[in-house]
Amino acid sequence: MTDRSRTAPDEASTPLADGSGHGTARDQSGRSRSAASDADPGRSGPDPGGHDEHEHEHESRWPLVAAAGAAGLYSGIAIAIFGAVAGVVPPLLGAGLAGLGAIVLLAGVAGWVDEAFLAPARRADGRTDRESYVTTTLLFLATDVSTFSALFVYYFFLRVGIAWPPGEAPSLLRSIVLINTFILLTSSVTFHYGHEALQRGNRRRFLALLGTTLVLGLVFLSGQAYEYYEFVVHDDFTLATGVFGSAFYGLTGLHGLHVTLGVGGLAVLCWRGLRGHYGPDQDTSVETVGLYWHFVDAVWVFLVLIVYVGSAL
């Protein structure tokens, strides 16, 4: 007598998931299906075929937490500057709000990174939708454009509302700016070709170029810190040095914060890449961090042209 249980096809094991967990699995008939798109969002628990379908809703509280923290950080800085200049509110109040906002922002970003990229790597059955993560990343970048645009509008109002060039501003266009720009643009190139290497299955080249991108990001931040040191110590040009000082440090500081977050994302990619979590069809995390990194580089080019070069015109 034939043992039916032996002739039934074995259930395929779930493949190693990307940080965003997209991949393919096989049902009992042997047909390939998308692990992300096969789940019925209106049903939980095992399906009639015996598969345990995991409902995955792309809802998270962490972006909201990060947004609240960013609002507190920006508002606190504004209150501190307003208090120092007008004396209406204690500057220490704004500094405290900014500090609390920074903590909440970092907590929100950390939770977001863990939920979106680290938690799926700890689960053997992590399943998420690549298209969903790429789309939400693009929406996040669209909101970020509004944040930068608000500061650029403030800068443009300064240009038409005060005598130019402002007497308190030193020469901004220095060699360190050109070096930093070259470094950041080079990092976009290394990331792009590293991602291409991953898609071709060249893991060693991918890791080398990804590591290079991370190092270049750290060098850029070091260069910006050195530039601030030169301005503050040697030129006595600080955040409280007139309205132009607040505009300059507001724009470059906001961009520096974004680069810092991007460096954190690159570090996570390196950590996971060394553990073999990525492949030609497992690159959702790489794609989303790449979109963010290229956006940060594009903003820097615009910032250099408007603020650094524009200050000399």
Side-chain angles (χ1 to χ4, degrees), residues 157-219:
F157 270 103
L158 291 182
R159 285 298 305 259
V160 300
I162 64 175
W164 201 265
E168 71 272 10
S171 175
L172 301 181
L173 201 55
R174 301 178 179 182
S175 58
I176 186 66
V177 178
L178 302 178
I179 294 172
N180 268 356
T181 302
F182 175 78
I183 289 171
L184 203 58
L185 291 179
T186 302
S187 73
S188 262
V189 175
T190 56
F191 191 102
H192 171 76
Y193 285 106
H195 192 189
E196 277 196 351
L198 176 66
Q199 292 173 328
R200 292 196 300 267
N202 192 337
R203 181 171 175 269
R204 178 175 297 182
R205 180 177 171 84
F206 162 68
L207 291 174
L209 290 173
L210 183 63
T212 302
T213 305
L214 175 60
V215 171
L216 290 173
L218 291 171
V219 172

Side-chain angles (χ1 to χ4, degrees), residues 1-67:
M1 179 180 293
T2 304
D3 188 349
R4 285 182 148 189
S5 64
R6 291 191 177 185
T7 59
D10 292 335
E11 184 173 341
S13 60
T14 304
L16 177 64
D18 170 27
S20 302
H22 80 283
T24 58
R26 294 185 178 273
D27 59 19
Q28 290 183 344
S29 65
R31 291 174 299 179
S32 177
R33 60 180 171 81
S34 168
S37 61
D38 208 39
D40 183 354
R43 179 181 67 213
S44 60
D47 67 1
H51 287 281
D52 185 14
E53 296 292 353
H54 297 271
E55 179 180 355
H56 188 95
E57 296 183 7
H58 301 288
E59 297 178 358
S60 173
R61 68 180 181 276
W62 293 115
L64 181 60
V65 172

Side-chain angles (χ1 to χ4, degrees), residues 101-115:
I103 294 173
V104 175
L105 171 62
L106 292 176
V109 171
W112 197 358
V113 169
D114 179 74
E115 182 179 76

